[in-house]
Amino acid sequence: MLMAGLLASACAWADGSPVGLWKNIDDATGKPKALIRITENNGELSGKIEKLFRAPEEDQNPVCAKCEGDLKDQPVIGMTILSGLKKDGNEYSGGQILDPANGKIYKSKLTVVEDGKKLNVRGYIGLPMLGRTQTWVREE
């Protein structure tokens, strides 16, 4: 079973798919923030936080205090932060991304770069040029 999962991850990587485990890098500090697992179901991508990289003095299992609705005060670890992304040419678009730090939901698009080793994740309001991009690094 483990080999099948590893083989599926290797195949996803080889075909330029964003499916797999990613380390997101804070665009402001350059430091790793979390591990996010991206999965695909019926042609739609979603991403869930598996691990947070936090300083020892920080809460190691924070909740999304600034989120609204069903996500309010829910644990950040295990939270789905990416959803609704579909393949559109060389990118994945039409979805949204949640920033647990501020509880805001943004439109999102993803682009796989450097032969599947990195993922440019853009969150924006309105037009894609009015947003910010993080680079995520493939973990597996």
Side-chain angles (χ1 to χ4, degrees), residues 3-19 138 140:
M3 283 304 288
L6 292 174
L7 184 59
S9 289
C11 291
W13 187 355
D15 73 3
S17 167
V19 171
R138 190 179 291 276
E140 62 177 41

Side-chain angles (χ1 to χ4, degrees), residues 1 72 87 136 139:
M1 188 70 166
K72 175 98 175 129
K87 189 161 181 57
W136 296 5
E139 283 290 293

Side-chain angles (χ1 to χ4, degrees), residues 4-5 24 39 62 72 89 123:
N24 78 334
T39 57
K72 175 98 175 129

Side-chain angles (χ1 to χ4, degrees), residues 49 64 131:
I49 294 178
C64 194

Side-chain angles (χ1 to χ4, degrees), residues 13-138:
W13 187 355
D15 73 3
S17 167
V19 171
L21 187 64
W22 297 89
K23 181 187 300 179
N24 78 334
I25 308 297
D26 188 298
D27 50 318
T29 67
K31 294 181 179 180
K33 289 175 60 173
L35 291 179
I36 297 110
R37 176 146 336 252
I38 297 179
T39 57
E40 183 176 352
N41 188 13
N42 294 325
E44 198 167 288
L45 298 178
S46 63
K48 189 179 283 194
I49 294 178
E50 287 195 354
K51 178 180 178 177
L52 296 173
F53 297 102
R54 303 188 47 95
E57 67 275 4
E58 292 180 292
D59 182 355
Q60 297 301 304
N61 194 19
V63 297
C64 194
K66 295 182 179 178
C67 286
E68 296 180 358
D70 292 342
L71 296 178
K72 175 98 175 129
D73 295 327
Q74 293 301 307
V76 173
I77 296 173
M79 185 172 280
T80 298
I81 61 164
L82 273 175
S83 60
L85 293 148
K86 295 181 181 176
K87 189 161 181 57
D88 181 17
N90 290 334
E91 65 183 23
Y92 293 79
S93 61
Q96 59 186 27
I97 187 167
L98 165 70
D99 183 346
N102 63 21
K104 293 185 180 177
I105 296 174
Y106 303 93
K107 292 181 181 179
S108 184
K109 68 179 191 172
L110 313 176
T111 308
V112 180
V113 295
E114 294 187 24
D115 295 325
K117 295 177 188 169
K118 293 187 178 179
L119 186 64
N120 287 335
V121 181
R122 184 132 186 102
Y124 58 95
I125 297 172
L127 301 173
M129 67 181 159
L130 302 174
R132 70 181 222 220
T133 300
Q134 285 185 340
T135 299
W136 296 5
V137 180
R138 190 179 291 276

